[in-house]
Amino acid sequence: MEEVSPDSETPLVPPPLLERRVRQRQPAVSVLKSKLKKGLTCSGPKVRSTLTGFFPVVRWLPKYKLKEYIWGDVMSGVIVGVILVPQAIAYCLLAGVPPIYGLYTSFYANIIYFLMGTSRHVSVGIFSLMSLMVGQVVVREVFAAGFDLNEDSTPSPHEVLNDTLGANLTLTPEHTVEVMGMQLGKDSFAISVAVAVTFLAGVYQILMAVFRLGFVSVYLSAPMLDGFATGASFTILTVQAKYLLGLKIPRHQGYGTVVITWINIFSNIHKTNLCDLITSAICITILVAGKEIQDRYKDRLKIPLPTELVVVAGATLASHFGEFSTRYHSSVSGHIPTGFIPPQIPAFSMMPRVALDAIPLAVISFAFTVSLSEMFAKKHGYTVRPNQEMVAIGLCNVVPSFFHCFTTSAALAKTMVKDSTGCQTQVSSLISALVVLLVLLFFAPYFQALQKCVLACIIIVSLRGALRKFRDVPAKWRSSRMDAVVWLVAMSATVLISVELGLLVGIVFSMSCVIYKTQNPKVSLLGQVNDTDLYEDIEEYKNLTAPSRVKIFRFQAPLYYANKNSFLKALYKAVGVEPFLELTKRKKAEKKEKDKSKKQAKTNGEKTNFDVFVGLVQRELEFHTIVLDCSAIPFIDSTGMATFQALVKEYKEIGVSVLLACCNTPIIDALKKGEFFEKINKDISDLLFYTVHAAVLHANRVAEENKAEDSVV
């Protein structure tokens, strides 16, 4: 039988009945048995598949198109290697270790990722943010071990004079610390700490891959990561500022590094080394000019300008022949040996002290690597395996830790250089490793006279992109105030507290914002679009008609324990009637009428049936039905179901029906499993509707039937 709309004569066809599919779920035991059987079965093809999955190079290297790929790979590999050498030496200032270890790290990381990475374009190696985080741990442990944090090893003029005269100096014995049966000086102890935290970070990443915990990175939102990276960049700039001025102040360890470092810089500004200051000004000018030319004419330039290498070469020659170290007491890199140091087991005795520090290193390193891999894979039309990327970056930390290396990650700047210079495969990483190897074997000692202020200039200029994010804050605020606030909080916490706690604060605040949104979602009353079956928000759209004596309420968030009260408050405010208060008012009015009638009856000496007055105090409401549009509710928990039950029961007591419309299958299943319909003694077809319009038609039809029955009575 066709239904007719109460507002028009147009017959309305009722919506078709939907029949759910019956899903046969296999028992958990049989599923577990089949997975174990599949996982433990050993065969030739499976072994081959496992090995090729673990070492992706075995798959793509035999298919390497030599004539098509080799020129781009060689070109990009050489250019990245040339950029990598000065950056590897410079970032050791951040990590608090001698320069040679940065070259080791870059060499081994490139080779391991060549073997195990699934991205064709990502450049893995030393990264400023990782170096800073490692350096925070190194400085803390070096200070705790009793070493002097003053990095300056330049002798005073008096000592130089005595050395020249050949006088015998009585020197204080160098402070050493015993680690794994060996006496270690400051530099050796520092790299031992860096190696220990790197080993643990790699182990964490491999464990995350084994237990499929890559989803952890989804909690690092883009605004939070941007704010964290910008705050860390400002921290890096602060840590390096003293080198620009040639100040001999120890690196602060603990909270408030940025604030305290700037206080120390300004309190010692009168001790500025003019040689370092002039050198820094010249180097920054050349580096910035080179970057600006590169950005402006990047379409015309086929290869990036090797500005860093030119600056390093020129500054090294000037420092060597000008004798800046002895004449002007400028801090220099010092002796950088050639060759390799024999491998050594990481200091396991240190690991309990740095176990927590390795967690943010592992998460950030993985997050940057996977996000860059997926970004460039999407750009060039291939796929990467995030879990294998986690294994690869984990082994890029675990294996090199036996060769005196510290934490690595994918680096955006070098990856973009690889991409722009024609990189086709990870053969380019192998070429970059060979460039670093040449420096390690032959050219490393030539950097002995290189001033530390030049290295600091390279680091600071490389932060231009991250520091420019400050200019994007107004645009962020206009597009999404919540994202802008997350960015500002993550950045401020990183700058004002510490890098590690800044990351934690950023994650917690970002997740809190999501929870806040679910606790304070948009709610609305819906109206009908002319005489159609469409219903939309009355406040957002014009020319909508509210259904007669039916309130349609939409709640745009999951309904669960945390936002139950928000849901109820919003509903009561929207419909204008709170059932408990309405019932209380009616009871008070009923009692008042009864008392009045009693007095009147006593006065007249009559007997009155007071039950008659119950019906006299039932005030007429503006509506007889509430339709809950559940189309924007993705799920409910047991608290949400109990809230629905309470609403149906409480509004029924004041003569108002509550209907549910547009529920998705998870909500329907939750209501059925919780025996929702049985507990309120209603059939599912009288309470649950596929569309809002079907619920409105049902509500009006029932109201008409009840009105007819009342008139008959």
Side-chain angles (χ1 to χ4, degrees):
M1 181 178 177
E2 293 183 335
E3 297 182 3
V4 179
S5 172
D7 299 327
S8 67
E9 299 299 325
T10 307
L12 298 172
V13 180
L17 294 176
L18 297 178
E19 186 176 353
R20 292 286 297 276
R21 293 181 182 274
V22 179
R23 298 183 181 275
Q24 295 289 341
R25 290 191 175 183
Q26 294 183 351
V29 177
S30 62
V31 173
L32 183 61
K33 284 182 178 179
S34 63
K35 286 186 176 180
L36 286 174
K37 184 178 179 181
K38 184 179 178 181
L40 298 177
T41 303
C42 185
S43 62
K46 186 171 183 181
V47 171
R48 192 181 307 111
S49 174
T50 302
L51 288 176
T52 55
F54 197 67
F55 295 100
V57 65
V58 179
R59 289 184 179 178
W60 61 262
L61 192 58
K63 303 175 184 177
Y64 188 80
K65 300 175 182 178
L66 189 65
K67 293 182 179 179
E68 186 177 343
Y69 293 164
I70 190 64
W71 172 247
D73 284 341
V74 170
M75 176 68 73
S76 63
V78 170
I79 292 171
V80 170
V82 167
I83 295 172
L84 194 59
V85 170
Q87 286 190 353
I89 297 173
Y91 288 158
C92 288
L93 285 181
L94 286 172
V97 297
I100 188 66
Y101 299 113
L103 295 172
Y104 290 158
T105 302
S106 300
F107 173 73
Y108 287 110
N110 275 285
I111 290 179
I112 293 172
Y113 193 81
F114 162 76
L115 297 172
M116 308 196 68
T118 59
S119 172
R120 302 174 192 171
H121 297 84
V122 161
S123 175
V124 172
I126 197 166
F127 182 43
S128 59
L129 180 56
M130 296 294 104
S131 301
L132 174 67
M133 296 175 74
V134 169
Q136 303 276 38
V137 182
V138 168
V139 170
R140 186 193 70 207
E141 294 301 318
V142 166
F143 178 77
F147 290 102
D148 183 11
L149 289 183
N150 190 354
E151 300 171 21
D152 182 39
S153 58
T154 306
S156 67
H158 178 68
E159 289 174 335
V160 172
L161 179 62
N162 285 344
D163 284 342
T164 306
L165 296 175
N168 294 324
L169 298 177
T170 305
L171 299 176
T172 306
E174 183 186 3
H175 176 62
T176 59
V177 174
E178 184 176 348
V179 177
M180 297 181 66
M182 296 182 293
Q183 294 295 325
L184 301 181
K186 179 182 174 182
D187 288 346
S188 299
F189 183 80
I191 190 60
S192 296
V193 175
V195 162
V197 74
T198 298
F199 177 82
L200 281 177
V203 169
Y204 291 158
Q205 288 168 333
I206 294 172
L207 290 176
M208 288 168 69
V210 170
F211 293 105
R212 308 281 177 175
L213 298 178
F215 67 88
V216 172
S217 64
V218 304
Y219 295 105
L220 307 177
S221 66
M224 190 280 297
L225 274 179
D226 278 349
F228 170 71
T230 306
S233 299
F234 191 77
T235 305
I236 293 170
L237 184 150
T238 300
V239 170
Q240 298 303 300
K242 65 177 184 179
Y243 295 109
L244 302 183
L245 304 174
L247 297 178
K248 314 297 195 264
I249 54 178
R251 182 169 169 176
H252 175 72
Q253 53 91 26
Y255 303 134
T257 297
V258 171
V259 176
I260 294 174
T261 301
W262 282 113
I263 291 173
N264 290 336
I265 287 173
F266 284 111
S267 61
N268 291 276
I269 198 77
H270 59 282
K271 300 178 182 178
T272 299
N273 188 308
L274 290 178
C275 176
D276 285 344
L277 180 61
I278 294 170
T279 303
S280 300
I282 295 172
C283 290
I284 289 178
T285 303
I286 296 172
L287 288 168
V288 171
K291 296 291 184 184
E292 291 297 327
I293 293 171
Q294 178 70 42
D295 293 342
R296 183 168 296 183
Y297 301 104
K298 59 183 177 182
D299 296 331
R300 299 182 186 179
L301 296 172
K302 294 184 179 180
I303 61 173
L305 298 174
T307 317
E308 288 93 344
L309 190 63
V310 171
V311 167
V312 166
T316 303
L317 291 172
S319 176
H320 175 72
F321 291 106
E323 299 179 350
F324 291 170
S325 177
T326 55
R327 276 181 162 186
Y328 307 108
H329 317 300
S330 181
S331 296
V332 295
S333 299
H335 177 63
I336 304 177
T338 56
F340 290 89
I341 303 174
Q344 187 177 350
I345 297 175
F348 292 102
S349 59
M350 290 185 183
M351 291 183 187
R353 295 177 58 87
V354 298
L356 290 178
D357 300 295
I359 295 174
L361 276 169
V363 174
I364 293 296
S365 172
F366 159 70
F368 274 104
T369 303
V370 171
S371 60
L372 280 179
S373 300
E374 292 180 339
M375 181 173 72
F376 282 90
K378 188 180 295 184
K379 178 181 178 181
H380 292 279
Y382 62 94
T383 58
V384 294
R385 290 182 288 134
N387 215 58
Q388 177 61 26
E389 287 295 299
M390 201 184 303
V391 172
I393 198 65
L395 287 174
C396 281
N397 288 320
V398 170
V399 175
S401 67
F402 288 85
F403 296 90
H404 314 279
C405 302
F406 52 93
T407 313
T408 56
S409 168
L412 176 61
K414 291 189 282 290
T415 301
M416 292 182 70
V417 170
K418 285 182 72 171
D419 181 46
S420 64
T421 51
C423 171
Q424 298 293 329
T425 67
Q426 280 298 329
V427 168
S428 62
S429 294
L430 198 61
I431 303 297
S432 299
L434 291 176
V435 173
V436 176
L437 180 63
L438 288 175
V439 175
L440 278 169
L441 295 180
F442 304 107
F443 302 112
Y446 294 105
F447 295 105
Q448 178 175 351
L450 180 61
Q451 293 166 271
K452 289 184 178 180
C453 65
V454 177
L455 300 177
C457 291
I458 293 172
I459 294 172
I460 290 172
V461 173
S462 71
L463 302 174
R464 286 165 64 251
L467 294 175
R468 281 177 175 173
K469 297 283 185 181
F470 283 104
R471 299 189 304 188
D472 300 336
V473 175
K476 287 180 184 289
W477 182 262
R478 288 191 296 270
S479 62
S480 173
R481 293 188 177 184
M482 188 71 76
D483 287 349
V485 171
V486 168
W487 187 93
L488 288 170
V489 169
M491 186 275 299
S492 302
T494 304
V495 169
L496 298 177
I497 307 174
S498 70
V499 175
E500 295 81 2
L501 282 181
L503 176 63
L504 181 61
V505 170
I507 294 173
V508 172
F509 185 78
S510 179
M511 295 178 68
S512 300
C513 289
V514 175
I515 295 172
Y516 174 79
K517 283 184 177 180
T518 64
Q519 287 185 314
N520 299 275
K522 181 173 176 56
V523 296
S524 52
L525 285 177
L526 307 187
Q528 188 177 17
V529 182
N530 298 327
D531 291 329
T532 66
D533 59 354
L534 299 178
Y535 293 81
E536 264 305 334
D537 189 347
I538 291 176
E539 293 183 355
E540 298 293 339
Y541 295 95
K542 298 179 181 178
N543 304 321
L544 298 184
T545 306
S548 175
R549 304 200 65 196
V550 177
K551 299 283 189 181
I552 307 171
F553 178 76
R554 177 185 288 167
F555 186 75
Q556 301 183 34
L559 181 56
Y560 65 114
Y561 67 93
N563 65 358
K564 177 196 74 171
N565 292 331
S566 300
F567 171 80
L568 292 174
K569 287 179 182 178
L571 175 63
Y572 296 153
K573 184 177 179 181
V575 301
V577 176
E578 189 170 344
F580 177 75
L581 294 179
E582 177 66 22
L583 196 60
T584 303
K585 288 179 183 178
R586 291 184 180 184
K587 287 181 179 179
K588 286 182 178 179
E590 179 185 338
K591 185 179 179 183
K592 187 176 180 181
E593 288 293 330
K594 282 186 177 182
D595 292 341
K596 184 178 178 182
S597 299
K598 281 182 181 180
K599 289 180 181 179
Q600 189 175 359
K602 285 182 181 179
T603 304
N604 299 332
E606 299 175 356
K607 291 184 179 180
T608 307
N609 184 8
F610 299 111
D611 293 335
V612 174
F613 295 102
V614 176
L616 297 178
V617 295
Q618 303 292 330
R619 76 182 180 97
E620 187 78 10
L621 296 176
E622 296 179 357
F623 58 94
H624 54 69
T625 304
I626 297 174
V627 177
L628 299 179
D629 178 9
C630 301
S631 59
I633 302 179
F635 68 88
I636 62 172
D637 64 356
S638 58
T639 304
M641 187 175 63
T643 303
F644 280 163
Q645 289 175 350
L647 282 177
V648 173
K649 181 181 177 182
E650 290 173 3
Y651 274 107
K652 184 179 179 182
E653 292 178 353
I654 60 171
V656 176
S657 300
V658 177
L659 306 179
L660 305 180
C662 304
C663 295
N664 57 33
T665 51
I667 292 179
I668 296 173
D669 292 340
L671 295 175
K672 287 181 178 179
K673 289 177 182 178
E675 300 180 350
F676 171 73
F677 304 101
E678 291 83 352
K679 289 179 181 178
I680 60 176
N681 298 319
K682 276 210 172 189
D683 187 70
I684 187 171
S685 61
D686 294 332
L687 191 65
L688 202 62
F689 298 88
Y690 297 123
T691 65
V692 171
H693 193 59
V696 172
L697 293 178
H698 175 82
N700 287 328
R701 186 179 68 247
V702 172
E704 290 294 329
E705 292 174 356
N706 292 339
K707 187 176 180 180
E709 291 176 3
D710 291 342
S711 62
V712 171
V713 173

